[in-house]
């Protein structure tokens, strides 16, 4: 199936952000990480399980009238490190943004363990999570060493 065909599945947007190559089934988590929910007033379209040559199947999200910033990209890296992000202005791609998942994620999310030293307000420490494995994604806290619950991460965005 051609790329063009896939793009037509979702209406073209005038201004906003397209997040493509999201692993199939992860789009809800992406929305959560970006804080897009019931309270969001801009139009958001989402397609799930679109056939993809590279990935088998993938999800695509289009957010109108909103351009993702670096902080949001850092959050996106935690759920879809290989996603492609395009900023759309006047119906064409104005910018392509690269997501980078480095070896350590600093001050993006807090450790999901409530008894971690980082949750002690008297000791203001940087929030550091180590990328232990990329695929499947496994993150561990720099301080307590505990593997992070990926389902909880969205609730722990800083
Ligand atoms: Zn911790």
């Amino acid at each position: 199936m051609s790329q063009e065909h896939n793009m037509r599945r979702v209406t073209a947007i005038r201004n906003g952000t397209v997040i493509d190559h999201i692993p199939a089934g992860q789009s809800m988590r992406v929305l959560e990480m970006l804080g897009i929910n019931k309270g969001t007033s801009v139009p958001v379209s989402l397609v799930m399980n679109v056939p993809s040559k590279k990935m088998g199947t993938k999800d695509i999200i289009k957010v109108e009238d909103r351009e993702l910033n670096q902080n949001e990209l850092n959050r996106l890296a935690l759920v879809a490190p290989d996603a492609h992000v395009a900023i759309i202005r006047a119906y064409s791609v104005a910018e392509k943004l690269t997501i980078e998942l480095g070896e350590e994620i600093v001050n993006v999310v807090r450790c999901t363990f409530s008894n971690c030293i980082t949750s002690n307000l008297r000791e203001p420490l940087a929030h550091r999570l180590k990328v232990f494995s990329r695929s499947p994604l496994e993150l561990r806290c720099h301080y307590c060493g505990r593997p992070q619950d990926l389902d909880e991460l969205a609730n722990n965005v800083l």
Side-chain angles (χ1 to χ4, degrees), residues 38-112:
K38 281 181 284 188
T40 304
S41 56
V42 295
V44 176
S45 28
L46 181 155
V47 277
M48 293 171 88
N49 304 319
V50 177
S52 156
K53 241 182 239 164
K54 237 202 285 180
M55 308 172 69
T57 51
K58 64 177 182 178
D59 291 356
I60 305 170
I61 295 172
K62 293 194 178 192
V63 185
E64 290 182 47
D65 300 322
R66 179 162 156 185
E67 298 187 0
L68 294 194
N69 58 37
Q70 190 56 50
N71 197 23
E72 291 170 316
L73 283 182
N74 293 342
R75 282 187 245 152
L76 187 56
L78 296 175
V79 283
D82 299 312
H84 295 185
V85 178
I87 302 295
I88 310 295
R89 290 177 199 138
Y91 293 108
S92 55
V93 176
E95 260 180 84
K96 285 186 179 179
L97 306 179
T98 328
I99 297 177
E100 275 172 52
L101 181 63
E103 281 170 17
E104 191 176 68
I105 298 136
V106 182
N107 290 334
V108 176
V109 283
R110 68 176 76 244
C111 174
T112 56

Side-chain angles (χ1 to χ4, degrees), residues 111-113 116-118 141-146 148:
C111 174
T112 56
F113 287 90
C116 179
I117 192 169
T118 53
C141 176
H142 170 78
Y143 303 98
C144 68
R146 305 244 213 146
Q148 302 295 297

